[in-house]
Amino acid sequence: MPSLRTAIVVLSLCALALGASGCRKRTLQAAPPAVVSPSLPEPKPETKPDATKPETPPEITPAAPPPATSHVPQSRPAPVKPRPASPEPAPPPPKPAPPQISPRLTPEEQAEAERHINEDISLAERNLRAASGKQQQLNAAQLDLIEKIRGFLVQAREAKRAGDWVRARNLAQKAQVLSNELVNSL
């Protein structure tokens, strides 16, 4: 046990010595004295001169001498150099679209997917036309549903044009399901 007690005493002494030593002292330098120019007295409003009083010139008080600094050397701040005008940075080049991973379809599978997509799109459009005849009677939820259906239809057509058959099929199905829901809510 004496070794544990010795270790604790040594650590305590180290901590005490470290705490007592403090930080390295930094010397502060005084700022250069401010240049004070004698101020001119404020002009007084003109009044009629009194003949009994002689005119006296205004008093000018000399500026106070700068405080004396004995042991602190004065250093002047370096003049600020203007930065040269740099040409405007060119905008970064646009990022390429991320590659889309879609399964390769055989021509038969592609024709089948396109047929399903076209059926879903046409059914959704037919349901939208049926709902648009009752535009006056639709509530806010139904109007919101119509906007979602239109958005899905636009996205489905874009995916179909891009050849992303899986995405186009999913979007067309969503539009068709929501349009059925809309018609049932009427």
Side-chain angles (χ1 to χ4, degrees), residues 120-143:
D120 288 342
I121 288 176
S122 64
L123 183 60
E125 287 175 338
R126 193 172 336 127
N127 289 341
L128 276 177
R129 281 192 298 274
S132 67
K134 302 176 182 180
Q135 197 77 15
Q136 301 281 334
Q137 304 165 358
L138 298 178
N139 61 29
Q142 292 168 331
L143 292 173

Side-chain angles (χ1 to χ4, degrees), residues 99-103 164:
Q100 292 186 357
I101 301 173
S102 59
D164 189 354

Side-chain angles (χ1 to χ4, degrees), residues 27-30 68-74:
T27 58
L28 296 176
Q29 294 182 351
T69 55
S70 58
H71 67 283
V72 178
Q74 294 183 1

Side-chain angles (χ1 to χ4, degrees), residues 12 35 58 64 96 98 100 103 107 111 115 117 119 143 145 161 182 184:
S12 299
V35 178
Q100 292 186 357
R115 187 180 61 78
I117 292 167
E119 285 176 3
L143 292 173
L145 201 55
R161 259 184 252 120
L182 175 67
N184 291 337

Side-chain angles (χ1 to χ4, degrees), residues 10-73:
V10 169
L11 285 175
S12 299
L13 288 175
C14 289
L16 183 62
L18 185 63
S21 67
C23 297
R24 185 181 76 161
K25 292 189 178 192
R26 298 181 71 184
T27 58
L28 296 176
Q29 294 182 351
V35 178
V36 179
S37 61
S39 61
L40 298 174
E42 292 183 18
K44 294 182 181 178
E46 288 190 31
T47 59
K48 291 185 177 181
D50 195 3
T52 59
K53 292 184 180 176
E55 251 184 72
T56 57
E59 290 185 28
I60 299 178
T61 56
T69 55
S70 58
H71 67 283
V72 178

